[in-house]
Amino acid sequence: MKDVYLFSGFLGSGKTSMLTDVIRQLKEKGLKPAVIMNEFGQLNFDSQSVEEDIPLKEMLEGCICCSGSEKTEAQIQTLLANEQFDVLLIETTGAAHPVEALDAVYSPLFAEQLNIKGIVTVADSKLWLDRDKLSPQVKSLFLEQIRHAHLLLANKIDLLTESEQAKVVFEIQNVNSNAFILQTTNGRVPLHLLEKLHSTVTNNKNDIHSAKIGVHLHLTSRLVEFQKSFTQDQFEEWIRTLPSTVYRMKGYVPIEGMKNPMLFQYAYGLVQWLPEYIRMQPKIVMIGENLDQIQIFGQDSQ
């Protein structure tokens, strides 16, 4: 099992500084990291900060959370197959919504090989105080990156007065009362805080764990395996009963009359089915909140 951390935050918030420092701490501990960096432009200058002996995959000209999702899966598969590493660090573009970024990392192809530790969001403290000057779309994304974090870094805290520092922490806590908030500079975060994060997905097909830092956190995942086939209508009828707190599902569903389980994707209430020409394991990954309260279709005995 490889531990995976997903680093989120706006451009200029301090993600790369955090990445560089976490790499240093991991190497001092004798652990070998691998890195996936995601940028919109054609040239990723930040990758120059990653040392040559570290396996590095770059997502250029695209976003990890949209058309780049399949590329991300392929890059993770390549790393798992060809590289020796202990920890995978994924730095998302500043425009990535954390749920979509997490969705790109979760794949039924390798879900059992990865231990997703959580989302670490770096928030620019000064930008937070000036957030009302942002466009509505950018401000909304800023809030979402904070709301879904498992660990929050209130960065550049040295640029604020004591009263401003207290205001930032109080207001961020109102957005995300579950995550631990670390006031820091230069993106510094002690490795032990990252290691305290607990897995948000498990190997056991019927189990679910919330990420924790002393308290349960809201964003969780669940790996479900199917033992029998269904019709598409039966499965979609079950999907229509799901609450809005189920954000994403993807994987392979065994459908009656089909030789191989079909590729299935679900997002924002929309369903997509595609035929699969290779026999894949019949299992899906779910991402959302309060997943332990959902009865899985075809598994009434649980």
Side-chain angles (χ1 to χ4, degrees), residues 1 8 72 83 95 106 116 119 149 160 187 204 218 250 259 262 301:
M1 291 284 287
S8 172
T72 305
E83 302 286 354
Y106 280 123
I116 313 295
I119 297 171
L160 307 183
N204 300 322
H218 51 281
K250 66 179 178 180
K259 180 181 178 182
M262 292 188 70
S301 60

Side-chain angles (χ1 to χ4, degrees), residues 20-30 189-192:
T20 304
D21 190 57
V22 169
I23 288 173
R24 175 190 62 79
Q25 294 182 73
L26 287 169
K27 293 181 75 172
E28 286 179 354
K29 198 173 179 180
V189 54
L191 188 60
H192 71 84

Side-chain angles (χ1 to χ4, degrees), residues 66-132:
C66 38
S67 60
S69 178
E70 293 80 8
K71 294 179 183 178
T72 305
E73 289 189 12
Q75 290 185 333
I76 293 175
Q77 280 187 289
T78 301
L79 284 173
L80 289 170
N82 301 327
E83 302 286 354
Q84 294 295 319
F85 64 95
D86 302 302
V87 180
L88 177 58
L89 307 174
I90 300 177
E91 180 186 340
T92 69
T93 174
H97 188 292
V99 174
E100 277 114 355
L102 195 63
D103 174 63
V105 179
Y106 280 123
S107 169
L109 299 176
F110 44 72
E112 293 168 316
Q113 299 178 58
L114 300 180
N115 181 31
I116 313 295
K117 297 280 282 183
I119 297 171
V120 182
T121 293
V122 186
D124 183 328
S125 298
K126 198 159 187 63
L127 181 63
W128 173 262
L129 292 177
D130 294 332
R131 65 191 182 281
D132 288 336

